[in-house]
Amino acid sequence: MSAKNKTQAETRSAKVKNLATIFQGADAKLSTSPYKLDYGIEPSADDEQRYKAITSITLSDEQRIALVQPEQTYPRERVILGVHWHPEFIPLDICLERVRNTFPNMEDSLLIPTNHNEIYTLGNYSGVEVDCYSPEFNLKVQLLLHFRADRVAEGKADVLKAMIAHTFTYRSSQLFQFIDALLNPGRESWLQQAAAKTGVDEEEVAFVQSQTLMIKKLLDRFEPLTPPMMIKNKLLRNWFDSLRDGTNSKQINKAQLFLKAVKKIVKQNFNLDYFYETEEIIEEARHNGAVVVVPHPEQFWPILLADYDIDGYEIWNPQSRQYTEWLITVIHRLNTTMKRRERPVLLTMGDDCHMGEKVKPLDQQEPAKASREIGLQPAWSDMSIQKNLNRFNTSRETVIRELRDRLG
């Protein structure tokens, strides 16, 4: 890391230590809320059990058995590329067994886990998806970093690991800003904006606030015992889903719609200064032999114009499929015009599978996420997409071969 980048990193690390002060005094302001909240509410034993259930990372025997038995198999698929997926709290051996059962005739594969802001290792390779900040176009972006496992083993890549750990901590703090947005009267305009957009009334907003206050009290009580990976925005969604009893689905659905609208506003106002800059992450990752890929680039399209030192762009995943053929053309143009590059920019695909979604009760799952499978990218077989890829000699086989070569 350069001296300039190291100074910037130290500045951000010092700032993040003060995150807790953002929320000091919030409780004192709650009594002036314009909504009718029951401030005498205290978590019951049932509430505590519900909280522990939604933050648990322990799998039951039944869940383990279900995880390794996919609902559908793909015997015709023989070469599997899985370089953008999130094991979350699911053990990697279970993930691997599920892949083998999903693709029973698999002959070759490249599988690299990429949890958010946590390096995971599977076999010879390690990976992570990192949040960072591009000041050139003032957007948070994400990078997939893939490594040979020995390059990030214990005692190595300490600077990069510290940067990623910092990012994990700051990203987790968004949950507390989400809670603050729902409870702090100073954010009333945000709530009014979300309520107007979703059509919820004052009574429904009050219900969301009272349950958010419950979560805040449970977090105050149990945060030291809560697995760090469970302290994120999804905690609120999961809490409200856990309140479903078969008779209140309409109420919970409205609450979830409102929460989603508030979360979007919180994300739009999340301070990006505490993230490391994109080039800082790339520089340190390269120092440790990383292959750098940009996932779902059309979500922050200016990154296509940035002259970053990257290996490839993801042209398809289940939540980013609208511009696949356009991206193929754009990246081909990059490869033909940027002559100074030693190696061409790769076109990759990702399944963006979140394994934790698969162990939730069916009525609490997001169907679109729950249906994703590690290594499943139907776009490779789409005749129109395949036609364009063939023009540039790109296939799963060529991508796997090139990634292995670049990883060493």
Side-chain angles (χ1 to χ4, degrees), residues 115-238:
N115 254 9
H116 288 288
N117 304 307
E118 286 185 286
I119 297 176
Y120 274 41
T121 297
L122 179 61
N124 295 325
Y125 301 108
S126 302
V128 62
E129 182 172 0
V130 183
D131 295 299
C132 44
Y133 169 53
S134 288
E136 304 95 320
F137 39 93
N138 193 33
L139 282 178
K140 187 195 85 169
V141 301
Q142 293 165 314
L143 298 173
L144 298 176
L145 308 181
H146 304 125
F147 306 87
R148 207 175 63 203
D150 63 322
R151 299 297 298 268
V152 290
E154 186 175 354
K156 296 184 178 180
D158 288 341
V159 174
L160 178 65
K161 289 176 181 176
M163 295 168 76
I164 293 172
H166 164 90
T167 304
F168 179 97
T169 300
Y170 184 54
R171 174 70 183 268
S172 296
S173 77
Q174 194 174 91
L175 169 64
F176 299 100
Q177 294 201 22
F178 192 8
I179 291 172
D180 184 67
L182 289 158
L183 298 179
N184 191 332
R187 303 299 187 194
E188 182 183 353
S189 63
W190 290 6
L191 301 191
Q192 290 174 342
Q193 181 181 339
K197 186 171 183 178
T198 57
V200 301
D201 59 28
E202 182 176 314
E203 183 178 348
E204 290 158 347
V205 172
F207 167 68
V208 170
Q209 288 187 304
S210 65
Q211 290 301 319
T212 301
L213 180 59
M214 180 76 78
I215 275 289
K216 185 180 186 305
K217 291 187 175 184
L218 287 164
L219 268 170
D220 290 344
R221 189 175 301 179
F222 294 112
E223 184 179 352
L225 304 176
T226 302
M229 69 168 57
M230 305 306 283
I231 299 178
K232 53 187 177 182
N233 288 336
K234 286 183 181 179
L235 181 61
L236 278 175
R237 189 196 91 184
N238 294 343

Side-chain angles (χ1 to χ4, degrees), residues 102-119:
T102 302
F103 308 103
N105 295 320
M106 180 172 64
E107 297 174 352
D108 189 21
S109 65
L110 180 61
L111 303 174
I112 306 178
T114 53
N115 254 9
H116 288 288
N117 304 307
E118 286 185 286
I119 297 176

Side-chain angles (χ1 to χ4, degrees), residues 116-373:
H116 288 288
N117 304 307
E118 286 185 286
I119 297 176
Y120 274 41
T121 297
L122 179 61
N124 295 325
Y125 301 108
S126 302
V128 62
E129 182 172 0
V130 183
D131 295 299
C132 44
Y133 169 53
S134 288
E136 304 95 320
F137 39 93
N138 193 33
L139 282 178
K140 187 195 85 169
V141 301
Q142 293 165 314
L143 298 173
L144 298 176
L145 308 181
H146 304 125
F147 306 87
R148 207 175 63 203
D150 63 322
R151 299 297 298 268
V152 290
E154 186 175 354
K156 296 184 178 180
D158 288 341
V159 174
L160 178 65
K161 289 176 181 176
M163 295 168 76
I164 293 172
H166 164 90
T167 304
F168 179 97
T169 300
Y170 184 54
R171 174 70 183 268
S172 296
S173 77
Q174 194 174 91
L175 169 64
F176 299 100
Q177 294 201 22
F178 192 8
I179 291 172
D180 184 67
L182 289 158
L183 298 179
N184 191 332
R187 303 299 187 194
E188 182 183 353
S189 63
W190 290 6
L191 301 191
Q192 290 174 342
Q193 181 181 339
K197 186 171 183 178
T198 57
V200 301
D201 59 28
E202 182 176 314
E203 183 178 348
E204 290 158 347
V205 172
F207 167 68
V208 170
Q209 288 187 304
S210 65
Q211 290 301 319
T212 301
L213 180 59
M214 180 76 78
I215 275 289
K216 185 180 186 305
K217 291 187 175 184
L218 287 164
L219 268 170
D220 290 344
R221 189 175 301 179
F222 294 112
E223 184 179 352
L225 304 176
T226 302
M229 69 168 57
M230 305 306 283
I231 299 178
K232 53 187 177 182
N233 288 336
K234 286 183 181 179
L235 181 61
L236 278 175
R237 189 196 91 184
N238 294 343
W239 173 261
F240 280 86
D241 274 338
S242 74
L243 299 174
R244 293 183 188 273
D245 60 12
T247 63
N248 63 354
S249 287
K250 185 176 180 180
Q251 181 185 32
I252 298 301
N253 289 343
K254 282 190 173 184
Q256 295 286 26
L257 195 63
F258 177 69
L259 283 170
K260 189 173 182 179
V262 176
K263 182 175 73 173
K264 184 175 181 180
I265 297 171
V266 171
K267 285 188 172 183
Q268 289 171 344
N269 288 274
F270 198 55
N271 190 341
L272 302 179
D273 288 342
Y274 294 98
F275 287 114
Y276 289 99
E277 292 185 10
T278 305
E279 288 191 298
E280 291 177 299
I281 294 291
I282 292 174
E283 179 183 349
E284 194 59 38
R286 288 295 198 197
H287 179 69
N288 292 282
V291 165
V292 183
V293 173
V294 178
H296 36 76
E298 77 274 21
Q299 293 187 12
F300 29 84
W301 66 264
I303 201 167
L304 291 164
L305 305 177
D307 189 21
Y308 291 147
D309 177 22
I310 63 167
D311 288 276
Y313 291 98
E314 189 176 75
I315 60 171
W316 183 95
N317 81 36
Q319 69 178 33
S320 303
R321 59 176 79 185
Q322 186 175 359
Y323 299 109
T324 297
E325 295 189 60
W326 175 75
L327 285 169
I328 293 171
T329 302
V330 168
I331 295 167
H332 174 65
R333 188 179 299 128
L334 283 176
N335 286 331
T336 56
T337 58
M338 301 178 79
K339 300 295 185 182
R340 65 184 181 80
R341 288 189 182 275
E342 293 183 9
R343 295 186 289 192
V345 177
L346 299 176
L347 294 82
T348 72
M349 297 192 195
D351 48 79
D352 210 357
C353 176
H354 290 70
M355 287 295 293
E357 194 71 25
K358 297 182 184 299
V359 299
K360 293 180 182 177
L362 286 176
D363 63 347
Q364 297 178 24
Q365 292 181 2
E366 288 188 37
K369 280 190 176 182
S371 64
R372 300 174 190 173
E373 295 290 351

